[in-house]
Each structure stands twice: as structure tokens, then as C-alpha cells.
Amino acid sequence: MQEPELREPRLHVGLIMDGNGRWATTRGLPRVVGHEAGVGTVRRVARAAPGQGIGTLTLYAFSSDNWRRPAAEVAGLMGLLRLYLAREVEVLRRDGVRLTVIGRRDRLPDGLAEAIAAAEAATRAGTRLHLRIALDYSARDAILAAARAAAPDATREDFARLVTGDGAPEVDLVIRTSGEQRLSDFLLWESAYAELHFTPCAWPDFGEAELAAAMTAFRSRQRRFGGLPAAA
Ligand code: IPE
Ligand code: IPE
Ligand code: MG
């Protein structure tokens, strides 16, 4: 695939994939059908991301607070993730995508942590896109763990490395689908200066066009990082 010439450093986009349940419910379908449809969106968005100037894409798949959902829905989500790994890893490897998973691994169903480690190992060499999946993830827990591990004289950079775990850069843009306008414990440290984009589009209906629209909106923003805009 021919990639457009990049005129800017590759961006880190965080995606809060929301609205699967409502998408299904409004169609009279069980919520898990919405999650199944959402897996297709993950595929489409991961494919489209490098062409949009995205170098790192962090997808919020399951928050630590999502354990509060009914056991059957949780089992459905975990099953879908297992299936995604089984089916997609070879494609990701071929496409030059490095996959890593952030969040806790000690509470996952049997065998899933091993499947994740295998997927990470198989895709380690990918440089075209770093695809991160946030699973049993809580930004507050990540910050708390970093605080516990950090030396008293740790610099901001040292601390950032501890928080992100895998050296991912700061987040440039957070996109949330399905109309909610909140962060729900996602990448709180890394998003200190992230631009925010909220779209009413439900995650199963999100795709290349919606991603492109979000990126166009992002490029129209003036980022200042506390300073003043460059003189015209
Ligand atoms: C996003 O969709 C997927 C997860 C949070 C796991 P939801 O399941 O939150 O869908 P809504 O918000 O109930 O519609
Ligand atoms: C946030 O969505 C978590 C994920 C997208 C995985 P939720 O749907 O769980 O968030 P709240 O409960 O509406 O804030
Ligand atoms: Mg939701």
C-alpha cells in the first residue's frame, strides 16, 4: 500500500470505543452482537490509521470498572478478544503492526494472558503502526503503580516511562464515539495536552471516513502547550 508522504511526526491517537451496547439494543439485538460488530471497526480503523498519519493507536477495549458488568457480557467480550488475537495476529504481523496490551493481566480468563504475550512476541518487529489495546485498564491505577515504583527524585520523563509502560509517546488526540463526553479513566497522564474529539457515531458504525474527519478537525486546532501561538 502506498503511503502519503508524512509532513509531521506520527501521532498518538487514543480511541474510547463506546456505544456497542446501545447500537445493538436499538436494533433489538443482544449487547454482545454490538461488541461483535465493534471488532470489525477495530480492523478497519487499524488499517486506516497509518494513512492518517497515526503512528500509535491506543484502543480502550475493557476498563477495570467494566468488571461491574454482568458476567455473561464480560465473558462475551473476553471471548471476542481471544478470537481477535487468534485471527488477526498474522495479518497484523504482515502489515507491520506491533501489538501491545496495557493494563492488568492477572485477572484475565485462563490462557488469555499467554495469548497476549504470544501476539506481542509475534508482532514485535512491526514499525508501521503501534497498536495498543487497553484491557483491564485504569489510568488511575497505572499512575498509582508508577508512583509506588518511582524514585523520590524521579523526573517527569522517568515517571512518564513508568506510567505508559511501553514507552508510548504522549497522546495527541482522544476520540470518543457514541456521544459521551468523558474520559472514563483512560490515559489520564498521557492526555494532559491531548485534543478531544467527540462524535455521536456509535463504535460499530465508525470507520475510515469518521477517522479522517476526526483527524481533519484535529489539524484545525491550535495547540499551545501553555505558551502563546507562533507569531503569524
Ligand atoms: C463499548 O461499548 C465497549 C466497552 C465498554 C467494553 P459499551 O458496551 O460501553 O456500549 P454502551 O455505552 O453501553 O452503548
Ligand atoms: C469506557 O466506556 C470503557 C471502554 C470504552 C472500554 P464505558 O462505557 O465503560 O464508560 P462509562 O461507564 O460510560 O463512563
Ligand atoms: Mg459505554
Side-chain angles (χ1 to χ4, degrees), residues 17-22 31 66 69 176 178 180 182:
M17 313 187 284
D18 201 14
N20 294 348
R22 280 166 280 168
R31 288 177 58 86
N66 287 147
R69 296 191 181 195
R176 183 167 188 151
S178 209
E180 308 303 343
R182 55 177 172 262

